[in-house]
Amino acid sequence: MGRGEDPIWSQGTVGLIAARERGDVDRKLQSRLTVTRSMIDRLGLEKELHGHMGCVNCLEWNHDGSVLASASDDLHVILWDPYRYKQLHKIATGHTGNIFSVKFLSRDTVVTCAADGTVRARTASGCALWECSCHCGRVKRLASAPDNPNLLWSAGEDGLVLQHDLRTSHRCNSVYSNVLVNLINHLGRYAEAKCVAANPRRPYQVAVGANDFYVRLYDTRMIKLSKVQTRTPSSQMQFERQNVLCSRAGHGDPDNDIPKAAVQYFAPGHLSMDPDEHTFPKKTVTYIAFSHDGNELLVNLGSEQVYLFDINSAKRPALVESFIIQHNHGYRDGDGKQLPKNGTTGKANGTTGSNGTVDAQAILPERIRLLKEAANELVNKGSYSAAVEYYNRAIAECPDCAVLYSNRAATLMRRGWSGDTYAAIKDCYRAIKLDTNHVKSHFRLAKGLMDLKRAREAHECLLYFKDKFPKHASSHAVFLLQKDINVALDNMETQPDEVRPIVGNSAADESEEHLPTSVLERQLRAGALDYSRRFLGHCNTTTDIKEANFLGPDANYIAAGSDDGSMFIWCRRSGNVVRCLRGDESILNCVQMHPAMCLLATSGIEAVVRLWSPRPEDGSPEPRVVTDVGSAANANQQRMRSDPFEAMLFNISFAGGGERDLHSPACRTS
């Protein structure tokens, strides 16, 4: 069935089923109906699987969902029958440290990585098939090629991403070439690889997350595998890490193994534009997931939010693409006055968009108008988070209305969660593109830039605002903003050079944040592409293995665990939280979706694996649902900004509502 026959989809579920009976639809039907809003609304606890004796750090479904693998701090992997809730096998892995990742090679064969620095393949009976001890630090994540399960990548805290082909013999020596990426060569001696993922549609694309906020997408076809510079016994691993592997820290690949064209960086714009302003709390990429079509990356960023990147059409950060600033420089005369362009006078009525259409409130559909009015009332009451949710819903249904973006921008700046001001600036840009004469969007853009301490850009935007809207140039709000901008510009000009951080001197080199980076690294960071969507509400500070995953083949929903033990589920289209369930009495790390049905597996600090599915439509309440999602999200945002020690105490007091199992397994945070 081609796209030209899409009217069938508008007939809803009944139409889809009828089309399937006629032979028109099969795979598309399954994709559309695997996860629906009705299923998400009825999602509840189906079963708890007991068998581990420690924290369950990772989960993995096999290709058809007939087996679920779970791996734990107890150094075992359990293979479960998810339909009969029974253990099929309990595998002794041979690891001597916490297991962090598990992948299937076949139905009864798994490969794992752990804190002991090894990657091991075992059969269900525990028979060793393959082992690699090339890493000299904790190995945090494995990735496999979907069309070739024998091809693996491992990400280790020694800064290395290794490529393994299990079909070939392997010996851990300095002759064997299996290093895909050596982050230490580019980031410095404290670089760590935290996670890795392979594109399901283009397996040559491998995404890597490190102990910073950048996501690196590599084209492995253009990379030459290199050798680990030296290997020593395990007792000397720390010495090797600091003195041998780090011998070229920050100076680049000695043989130029990774050409610039082989990698693209992605990062939230508010972080990549001014990285030195965001060193605390430390940002770390804890998980990366590709969409089923291979066109998008979902990233869980520690001490931040969940972000979605479009790897094919992502753009530079909004501040880089400031068309207003470019316009100012291009059409300003020697006296600083705005020159008319194409004979226009710059007059604005606030209703005519750039394409000549009218963007007035009167043309909004009734449902959208009611959502907008409800959001405005919530803003007046100071309920900014609730108002943002209403604006999100309105924009999802009416994405070409400038006033909705402008109003949401104002609300985001008032709420002030992490990244809100930058998101507001993006909304202002969007509103101005839809309606070049929208007065409030222009002013809010200048104010948002000032809030981000971008005084020069704010000054340019305010000059443009005064030229374009002379009737508003003398308003009190403009006067106050101009005063703040002038003070900031004066401080920038009078600040002595010696108080500004100088990267590369002996004092700065002592700090981890100012270690030298390679030329390639600096170039790639400067060209980092921005996110397309973000999802807020969860908290990711205490562990560095917290996941975020797409739900269903169409990826209409996003799920992630949280430090408060909850599983947050977002609508991908609006970005709103649509379901929040209590998944762990302490911290929920893992959320994995069944490959063919609406069945989720979750795990965390507890030694329990939980299965979630849509419950019967009998109206019975789900005891594990979090009813006040807004308060939980607000508490999580505050927790991410707090001191790490205070956050740990807060997590202890928050988890379990005061009713904690004093004999629960003692699990170390990761």
Side-chain angles (χ1 to χ4, degrees), residues 27 146 197-207 215 217-218 266 288-298 308-314 550 552-555 572:
R27 183 169 55 85
N199 192 321
R201 295 299 179 92
R202 297 180 288 275
Y204 56 83
Q205 288 185 331
V206 174
V215 177
L217 181 63
Y218 295 94
F266 299 86
I288 303 172
F290 280 93
S291 60
H292 292 273
D293 60 10
N295 293 325
E296 292 177 307
L297 273 173
L298 187 66
L308 185 66
F309 297 90
D310 188 323
I311 65 176
N312 298 318
S313 59
F550 297 98
D554 276 2
R572 173 231 176 88

Side-chain angles (χ1 to χ4, degrees), residues 59 71 104 114 135 140 173 242 295 309 320 332 407 474 480 555 565 573 590:
L59 302 168
F104 277 97
H135 286 284
K140 300 307 293 287
N173 54 48
Q242 295 295 333
N295 293 325
F309 297 90
V320 174
R332 197 172 285 282
N407 286 8
S474 58
L480 293 178
R573 188 180 177 191
C590 306

Side-chain angles (χ1 to χ4, degrees), residues 253-326:
D253 289 321
D255 300 319
N256 193 29
D257 298 320
I258 303 178
K260 184 178 179 181
V263 57
Q264 177 64 63
Y265 277 32
F266 299 86
H270 60 289
L271 299 178
S272 63
M273 286 298 298
D274 202 1
D276 290 338
E277 293 293 327
H278 303 274
T279 56
F280 180 83
K282 179 70 175 177
K283 310 297 188 294
T284 297
V285 179
T286 65
Y287 195 78
I288 303 172
F290 280 93
S291 60
H292 292 273
D293 60 10
N295 293 325
E296 292 177 307
L297 273 173
L298 187 66
V299 177
N300 201 337
L301 186 57
S303 299
E304 257 278 347
Q305 323 294 355
V306 174
Y307 292 96
L308 185 66
F309 297 90
D310 188 323
I311 65 176
N312 298 318
S313 59
K315 299 179 180 179
R316 298 289 302 281
L319 304 185
V320 174
E321 296 183 340
S322 175
F323 56 87
I324 291 178
I325 296 175
Q326 293 171 359

Side-chain angles (χ1 to χ4, degrees), residues 36 181 195 422 431 670:
T36 66
V181 179
C195 50
Y422 177 74
S670 301

Side-chain angles (χ1 to χ4, degrees), residues 72 270 297 323 372 380 421 477 532 631 634:
S72 167
H270 60 289
L297 273 173
F323 56 87
K372 174 179 171 293
N380 294 333
T421 303
S532 57
S631 296
N634 186 65

Side-chain angles (χ1 to χ4, degrees), residues 553-604:
D554 276 2
N556 289 325
Y557 298 92
I558 307 292
S562 175
D563 284 348
D564 63 358
S566 300
M567 172 174 58
F568 283 79
I569 300 178
W570 295 271
C571 172
R572 173 231 176 88
R573 188 180 177 191
S574 68
N576 289 341
V577 178
V578 295
R579 191 74 164 168
C580 186
L581 296 161
R582 189 74 178 169
D584 194 278
E585 293 305 312
S586 182
I587 300 171
L588 187 69
N589 287 320
C590 306
V591 180
Q592 291 289 330
M593 180 78 188
H594 189 282
M597 64 174 60
C598 190
L599 178 64
L600 277 74
T602 65
S603 66

Side-chain angles (χ1 to χ4, degrees), residues 46-47 49 61-62 64-69 79-88 107 594-595 597 599-601 611:
E46 177 179 318
K47 188 68 175 179
L49 305 179
W61 297 94
N62 69 341
D64 61 0
S66 60
V67 181
L68 173 67
L79 302 184
W80 305 90
D81 182 334
Y83 309 119
R84 296 184 296 168
Y85 318 127
K86 292 183 178 181
Q87 289 188 25
L88 299 175
R107 191 177 189 276
H594 189 282
M597 64 174 60
L599 178 64
L600 277 74
L611 298 178

